[in-house]
Amino acid sequence: MSASRVRVAVTGLGVVAPNGLGAEAYWAATRKGSSGIGRISRFVPDQYPSQLAGEIEGFEAAEHLPGRLLPQTDRMTQLALVAADWAFEDAAVRPGELPEFEMGVITASSSGGFEFGQRELQALWSQGSRYVSAYQSFAWFYAVNSGQISIRNGMRGPSGVVVSDQAGGLDAVAQARRQIRKGTRLVMSGAVDASICPWGWVAQMASNRLSTNNDPERAYLPFDAAASGHVAGEGGALLVLEELEQARARGAKQIYGEIAGYGSTLDPRPGSGRPSGLRKAVELALADAGATPRDIDVVFADAAAIPELDRIEAAAITEVFGARAVPVTAPKTMTGRLYSGAAPLDLAAAFLAMRDGVIPPSIGVSPAPEHDLDLVVGQERTAAVRSALVIARGHGGFNSAVVVRAAA
Amino acid sequence: MPSHEFTLDDLRRILRDGAGADEAADLDGDIADTDFESLGYESLAMLETGGRIEREFDITLDDDALTDSRTPRELIEAVNALLVPAEIG
């Protein structure tokens, strides 16, 4: 069998989301339309134009992680380490029992460890260089989640990090699939981002894409005539990926489905007059999966909630699938946009949608008729889901799409 | 001017604050002659620990003092060797 025909399955999910810690808590909240968006509590947001976020509540790193890891890790890494533990547990894989060079870690990141970095920069400029933690050398760094997961679990196979904003969450999973096709037994992939601190907030505001509506029910309304930007959140998901036949051979407790297709494009430069590459990314993912548009039972949208970007995404979907021809949803309306963590969380939701035969809702949105989307709003929809498309775009023109499919 | 002698309790406190504590190691036990490595502290943890000792006790540890001190007793001796002459002087 040629490497490109090797089927790659997801066998474990680890979720840390603003509306639920753990895959099942997240999924139960998401099916109910329960939001994790609220007023920022991690710092006093009064002086900032955007005062809402999707924050993870009730996460105490010390309850889950060894004391040695706490002083050297940013919150995003602590969340990622715990999500990885949960993904292994869900997959019933004990990494210590597998050869260390046959397991890799490939995550995405968009900002690195901002909260840690802010604290150390404050120490640098208020007290001096002798007051900066030695751990700042890596705690802020994009690759730190991959590195710490690798060290904690003894995974020394192909590893790395992809940085392409929200699209990175899918690009990392695609890279994980490549490595499995080249012979790596197992890859932990996905992403967790968290930078809800003043420094991280200012950096996010610079995109001009944060909503300044501070009513939690009106702030993040993708595909709505009132769309005015997004709410930022923290969290994401990590997934255990294995070669499908090997997963079956080891008697994996469950096979959520396979990563069947992937496509990515980069937009032309702004002002070029040429169209966005998003539609092409979707078409590439379908072709890679050997799927036709009719095979797709639901689309998890990128859902930028910037009017122009919503138009581009709606057009890409309707041009490929037809007007109102496929259910579209954006459960990220309950979490905010999680940057690199968003698409892995959507992948988890897609697999759980397949398992339970339901499409989770988007909340709060009144779809603008001009978009011609069949948006699942307010309540979950019962539907047999065998294939799903997840779309993710990154600031700077990154477009990525993944097709997931039930493993027949 | 250094305020006092550097003790095992100072070291315990600084290790905990700067680098955390390994659940498998009993920092409060008799650790004076236990390798830092078996207490769960690798080179970066020692770098952070050295930095914290330097700023609290206002001394400069050269790199060898850190890398050559394999146990708490050795590190305490190295630190106090820098402190005591200053106090006498």
Side-chain angles (χ1 to χ4, degrees):
Chain A
M1 184 183 286
S2 78
S4 68
R5 303 290 300 164
V6 169
R7 295 164 71 189
V8 174
V10 171
T11 57
L13 303 175
V15 169
V16 284
N19 62 344
L21 269 178
E24 295 307 329
Y26 160 73
W27 184 235
T30 298
R31 287 185 60 176
K32 280 188 302 195
S34 168
S35 175
I37 290 175
R39 186 172 168 78
I40 291 169
S41 69
R42 294 187 63 78
F43 62 93
V44 179
D46 299 18
Q47 61 183 316
Y48 300 89
S50 303
Q51 302 175 356
L52 301 177
E55 292 182 324
I56 292 172
E57 286 174 20
F59 176 77
E60 292 296 336
E63 289 173 8
H64 305 284
L65 297 172
R68 280 287 286 108
L69 278 176
L70 300 178
Q72 58 178 281
T73 41
D74 182 77
R75 175 175 171 84
M76 66 149 196
T77 304
Q78 295 169 353
L79 288 163
L81 284 164
V82 171
D85 286 353
W86 290 345
F88 272 131
E89 199 178 310
D90 188 37
V93 168
R94 291 199 184 88
E97 294 174 357
L98 295 177
E100 55 187 7
F101 285 99
E102 293 184 21
M103 298 179 290
V105 189
I106 298 169
T107 67
S109 177
S110 76
S111 64
F114 261 59
E115 195 173 59
F116 197 108
Q118 172 172 343
R119 193 174 64 229
E120 299 311 318
L121 283 174
Q122 281 173 325
L124 173 65
W125 295 112
S126 64
Q127 295 171 283
S129 60
R130 285 166 59 146
Y131 288 80
V132 177
S133 166
Y135 295 114
Q136 169 68 358
S137 55
F138 59 71
W140 75 273
F141 187 49
Y142 299 111
V144 70
N145 290 357
S146 285
Q148 290 283 20
I149 292 168
S150 159
I151 293 166
R152 176 165 165 79
N153 298 291
M155 307 166 78
R156 305 180 71 179
S159 296
V161 65
V162 183
V163 180
S164 43
D165 188 21
Q166 193 138 291
L170 297 180
D171 299 335
V173 168
Q175 176 65 5
R177 188 177 69 154
R178 284 183 205 109
Q179 293 298 351
I180 288 172
R181 286 178 165 174
K182 286 186 196 166
T184 298
R185 180 193 292 230
L186 179 154
V187 179
M188 181 70 74
S189 189
V192 173
D193 256 327
S195 58
I196 303 176
C197 63
W199 187 33
W201 211 242
V202 171
Q204 293 179 49
M205 282 165 47
S207 71
N208 281 324
R209 290 182 177 183
L210 285 190
S211 173
T212 53
N213 184 321
N214 290 317
D215 172 356
E217 293 180 358
R218 300 294 298 160
Y220 178 31
L221 300 174
F223 305 115
D224 190 308
S228 62
H230 68 261
V231 171
E234 60 180 358
L238 288 167
L239 294 73
V240 174
L241 273 66
E242 301 175 73
E243 196 268 307
L244 177 64
E245 296 311 323
Q246 276 197 15
R248 285 188 170 135
R250 78 168 173 89
K253 184 174 77 173
Q254 75 261 311
I255 289 167
Y256 285 105
E258 65 176 299
I259 304 295
Y262 165 72
S264 72
T265 62
L266 196 62
D267 279 337
R269 66 172 172 79
S272 73
R274 285 178 286 142
S276 161
L278 182 59
R279 172 184 170 175
K280 186 70 183 172
V282 170
E283 289 169 342
L284 288 169
L286 289 169
D288 185 37
T292 68
R294 296 170 62 145
D295 295 326
I296 301 298
D297 300 306
V298 58
V299 174
F300 288 77
D302 173 65
I306 301 290
E308 176 62 14
L309 293 175
D310 282 355
R311 267 195 295 279
I312 289 169
E313 185 170 28
I317 292 169
T318 54
E319 284 165 17
V320 172
F321 294 92
R324 297 171 197 268
V326 64
V328 177
T329 191
K332 53 171 73 79
T333 46
M334 292 172 243
T335 61
R337 282 170 77 82
L338 308 184
Y339 302 100
S340 71
L345 187 62
D346 277 345
L347 288 175
F351 287 123
L352 294 166
M354 288 181 192
R355 184 190 70 182
D356 293 350
V358 291
I359 297 171
S362 321
I363 63 162
V365 178
S366 304
E370 55 157 336
H371 291 318
D372 263 341
L373 295 179
D374 171 16
L375 200 64
V376 179
V377 177
Q379 289 197 319
E380 67 179 17
R381 186 185 295 178
T382 303
V385 180
R386 294 198 39 80
S387 288
L389 173 75
V390 175
I391 296 174
R393 284 177 292 185
H395 198 58
F398 299 99
N399 303 298
S400 293
V402 159
V403 172
V404 296
R405 185 156 54 206
Chain B
M1 180 66 79
S3 52
H4 58 85
E5 187 187 1
F6 182 62
T7 67
L8 186 56
D9 278 342
D10 290 326
L11 179 58
R12 287 184 172 116
R13 170 175 52 78
I14 287 171
L15 283 168
R16 269 203 188 91
D17 287 353
D22 188 320
E23 281 72 7
D26 178 15
L27 266 197
D28 291 320
D30 182 12
I31 58 164
D33 295 307
T34 309
D35 274 13
F36 284 115
E37 212 172 296
S38 6
L39 292 170
Y41 299 109
E42 80 302 315
S43 60
L44 200 57
M46 296 315 296
L47 189 65
E48 173 64 13
T49 300
R52 283 171 179 256
I53 294 170
E54 287 184 335
R55 64 198 199 217
E56 182 170 330
F57 289 85
D58 197 19
I59 57 171
T60 304
L61 285 165
D62 61 43
D63 289 350
D64 291 346
L66 268 180
T67 48
D68 293 351
S69 299
R70 303 185 50 84
T71 64
R73 187 187 304 281
E74 287 169 21
L75 181 57
I76 290 165
E77 280 169 8
V79 172
N80 281 324
L82 294 168
L83 287 177
V84 174
E87 281 182 344
I88 294 167

